[in-house]
Structures are given as structure tokens and as C-alpha cells.
Amino acid sequence: DSGVTQTPKHLITATGQRVTLRCSPRSGDLSVYWYQQSLDQGLQFLIQYYNGEERAKGNILERFSAQQFPDLHSELNLSSLELGDSALYFCASSVVGRGNEQFFGPGTRLTVL
Amino acid sequence: DQQVKQNSPSLSVQEGRISILNCDYTNSMFDYFLWYKKYPAEGPTFLISISSIKDKNEDGRFTVFLNKSAKHLSLHIVPSQPGDSAVYFCAASDQGGSEKLVFGKGTKLTVNP
């Protein structure tokens, strides 16, 4: 158990809909990262928050957004969903700074029908 | 453009023997490398890391070797155990830039009893 929690574990929805994925980092970790793993792909970095502020952005679609709250939990919002958004979404957290390993949650499997 | 490559999608070894997983990278700015292990329906679990100032790091049965001139790293598992059967991801980061991890697509290791 990494100490990172994600809810829900599974999500099935229809095209055009909007969903929210939730992540609670390990106690004491200030940085939260979101990654997407599609079929046959490695994990792709989406976005990072550090202590409530956006720190880095990857190839995140404009239909996706995220935020980190004062209690440090984070939410990833996916809107106008398309079939191609079906994937595993992982949240990770780390203490702070560079050179630290990131600890991953169990992921949310999103299926768009 | 895949900056981190794991060219072997799968590897099968006998219990007790050595497992060698390979990873190549193209971005010369990468200076911190990590290996993660992933079981089905779970998030990636951190295994071992190495900074570019070192060429070897050891932790129990796991050793990571880094060859900067060849932009190549490898993970050695000795002796291999059936419980090591999982997908192994190589990841890299540029400590002078973003804290994001760039992942390879993974190698599925099967250790046969």
C-alpha cells in the first residue's frame, strides 16, 4: 500500500459526459501528479500540482482540468468525453523537490461507451 | 517521439536465474532514473533509482546499472523469484526541469518455477 488513494476504482460513462477523479496523496506529500495509461502505452504525464499551485503541464487536453485543494487532495476533471479517453488514470505523490521517487495510487479505470 | 524505450515487450526466465531488463533513453538532459514494478489492477510500485552521478545502485536482489555514454540502463534481478513476475517500467526525469517522469512502455517479466 503506497498510501495514495484514488476514487473511484472503476468508472463507466457515455461519450459527451463529464467525470471527476479524486486523489488523496500520502501524508506529508505536497506534490500530486496525474498520469494516463492508454492501451499499449506507457504512462503519460498529464499535470502536476504542488501545494495547491499548478507546477507543470504535459500533453493534457483542453477538455481536461485539475486542481489541488487546501487539504492537498486533488481532482482531475474530464469533460466532453470521447471513446479515446478510455484509459487508466493514475495519481502519484512525492515529498517535494526533484530526485524524489513518486508513489502511485491504484488508479481509476475509465471506460467511455 | 519516445524518449524512453524498452525494446523488449516481454522476458521469460527460470526461477533462481538472473533477469536483465533493459532501457534506452534519448534525452541527454535526463539525470535521474527509476524502475517501477506493476502488478495487474494495481498502481506502479517504486523499486529502485539511480542518479546520473552514479553508474550502479544496489538494493537487495535488485541492481540498476547506468551507462551514460550509451544512454542505457538496465535492471538486474538476482535470483529471480516467481513473485517478481510483473510489468517493469523504466522512467526518467530531468532534475533541472520539470519533475515529471517520462516512462517507457514496459517489459512483462515472467519467472517460471
Side-chain angles (χ1 to χ4, degrees):
Chain A
D1 184 357
S2 67
V4 178
T5 60
Q6 288 187 251
T7 56
K9 197 167 179 62
H10 301 277
L11 200 47
I12 301 174
T13 188
T15 54
Q17 294 299 304
R18 173 189 168 94
V19 296
T20 297
L21 313 183
R22 182 187 168 106
C23 167
S24 293
R26 294 187 319 159
S27 176
D29 285 357
L30 298 177
S31 270
V32 169
Y33 311 78
W34 286 97
Y35 291 86
Q36 179 193 57
Q37 185 182 24
S38 303
L39 199 63
D40 296 332
Q41 294 292 320
L43 287 87
Q44 303 286 326
F45 170 74
L46 294 178
I47 196 164
Q48 177 200 2
Y49 276 81
Y50 171 72
N51 203 20
E53 300 286 329
E54 183 184 301
R55 180 109 159 196
K57 236 176 181 177
N59 296 326
I60 186 168
L61 299 171
E62 284 192 15
R63 301 183 285 109
F64 295 2
S65 65
Q67 54 184 336
Q68 186 179 28
F69 295 86
D71 67 352
L72 299 178
H73 91 271
S74 178
E75 293 181 355
L76 179 67
N77 301 295
L78 315 177
S79 62
S80 303
L81 285 167
E82 302 175 359
L83 296 177
D85 297 328
S86 296
L88 272 166
Y89 292 84
F90 290 102
C91 166
S93 73
S94 68
V95 176
V96 68
R98 297 169 174 84
N100 288 303
E101 53 266 23
Q102 296 175 18
F103 294 88
F104 283 78
T108 293
R109 180 173 291 281
L110 173 66
T111 303
V112 183
L113 303 176
Chain B
D1 175 27
Q2 210 180 339
Q3 299 184 66
V4 177
K5 298 179 185 179
Q6 295 178 255
N7 292 320
S8 299
S10 63
L11 174 68
S12 183
V13 300
Q14 286 300 118
E15 180 178 5
R17 306 294 288 267
I18 184 172
S19 296
I20 300 176
L21 297 101
N22 293 303
C23 177
D24 297 295
Y25 62 96
T26 57
N27 188 340
S28 57
M29 298 301 292
F30 288 150
D31 53 8
Y32 193 72
F33 304 90
L34 308 90
W35 285 94
Y36 283 84
K37 177 170 73 174
K38 186 182 180 303
Y39 293 117
E42 294 183 12
T45 301
F46 169 74
L47 263 180
I48 191 168
S49 62
I50 187 167
S51 166
S52 60
I53 61 173
K54 295 184 175 181
D55 55 18
K56 176 183 173 181
N57 189 26
E58 195 171 349
D59 184 1
R61 297 186 297 114
F62 302 91
T63 303
V64 56
F65 295 92
L66 175 62
N67 182 334
K68 282 178 292 186
S69 59
K71 293 192 178 69
H72 176 84
L73 63 155
S74 60
L75 175 68
H76 293 211
I77 307 174
V78 183
S80 300
Q81 300 173 353
D84 295 329
S85 297
V87 177
Y88 288 78
F89 290 98
C90 169
S93 72
D94 162 19
Q95 294 193 54
S98 165
E99 295 165 35
K100 71 175 186 181
L101 295 180
V102 180
F103 283 85
K105 291 189 178 183
T107 297
K108 183 176 182 180
L109 172 67
T110 302
V111 180
N112 301 302

